[in-house]
Amino acid sequence: MRDAVTSLISKYDITGRYLDRNAFDDLKSYFESGMARIAAAQIINANSATIVRDASAKLFEEVPELLRPGGYAYTTRRYSACLRDLDYYLRYASYALVAGDMNILDERVLQGLRETYNSLGVPIGPTVVGIQLMKDMVKEMATEAGVEDTAFVDAPFDYMSRELSEISV
Ligand SMILES: CCC1=C(C)/C(=C/C2=NC(=C\c3[nH]c(/C=C4\NC(=O)[C@H](C)[C@H]4CC)c(C)c3CCC(=O)O)/C(CCC(=O)O)=C2C)NC1=O
């Protein structure tokens, strides 16, 4: 697993260069956003159950077929698998926010997920809607908690959405 600092250092190490102006700019922006990243992770941590519950409720409101016979959240087993998946995406998003790097998402969440969703037929579109709803909730909560610029919160949620969308079901 990499974070913003180890990623940057390994990039420079590969070519045997000293850190330059660009590197220091990147490092400064990472450390300057550090407290906001921690605040966002704390918000996720304190509200994970609410975020998953409300995002799934909105998702099932937007795509009610999921809950009907033949839908992918029909039966208790599938319903709980769906909520569990949302919880995974949220938890790993909080790690990636602290790390300032998306590498953990590749390693722990997205690897093999395409194949799994493909073979089970779990629909990607609604999954992405769920991820985006959680993103919006986290940003709203971060704003309420006094985080001024919440744009950095987008990165892990958008990354997972983008990577998942490449699956053709
Ligand atoms: C930490 C990384 C990680 C991820 C991401 C993960 C996802 C994951 N989701 C799965 C299933 C599933 N995922 C869903 C998800 C949904 N159903 C819907 O209607 C919605 C569109 C969506 C929720 C938003 C469902 C219904 C299943 C069960 C499918 C089945 O067995 O028929 C499975 C198959 C095995 C199982 O059922 O546990 C995996 C591996 N597992 C992991 O270890």
Side-chain angles (χ1 to χ4, degrees):
M1 189 198 111
R2 291 195 307 258
D3 57 38
V5 178
T6 54
S7 279
L8 183 114
I9 290 174
S10 74
K11 203 172 82 189
Y12 280 78
D13 186 31
I14 284 169
T15 47
R17 285 177 297 154
Y18 279 96
L19 298 175
D20 57 17
R21 195 197 176 93
N22 287 337
F24 289 119
D25 285 347
D26 286 353
L27 284 169
K28 274 184 200 155
S29 102
Y30 174 64
F31 285 113
E32 276 163 13
S33 63
M35 294 314 287
R37 292 175 184 281
I38 292 171
Q42 282 178 314
I43 286 163
I44 291 174
N45 182 51
N47 299 284
S48 60
T50 310
I51 295 168
V52 169
R53 192 192 57 219
D54 291 3
S56 67
K58 269 189 211 163
L59 170 63
F60 296 135
E61 225 172 80
E62 281 182 32
V63 195
E65 310 83 86
L66 292 173
L67 288 176
R68 295 193 192 125
Y72 268 87
Y74 180 69
T75 75
T76 319
R77 186 185 65 80
R78 284 193 177 142
Y79 181 85
S80 0
C82 181
L83 264 59
R84 181 212 55 197
D85 283 8
L86 289 177
D87 191 60
Y88 283 150
Y89 298 132
L90 184 62
R91 180 161 57 88
Y92 280 97
S94 78
Y95 297 160
L97 282 172
V98 171
D101 195 287
M102 301 302 122
N103 171 257
I104 189 169
L105 303 178
D106 287 329
E107 279 186 5
R108 303 286 166 81
V109 182
L110 297 163
Q111 202 172 46
L113 189 61
R114 302 159 183 238
E115 291 76 12
T116 304
Y117 270 20
N118 264 331
S119 66
L120 293 170
V122 176
I124 303 305
T127 302
V128 168
V129 172
I131 293 173
Q132 293 295 317
L133 286 166
M134 294 197 295
K135 174 182 88 175
D136 294 342
M137 290 181 66
V138 173
K139 288 181 80 168
E140 223 174 275
M141 288 174 172
T143 304
E144 277 166 26
V147 176
E148 273 173 28
D149 184 0
T150 62
F152 72 91
V153 173
D154 292 0
F157 295 97
D158 289 352
Y159 187 82
M160 289 187 287
S161 300
R162 211 167 39 239
E163 293 293 309
L164 268 169
S165 301
E166 282 170 14
I167 309 166
S168 50
V169 178

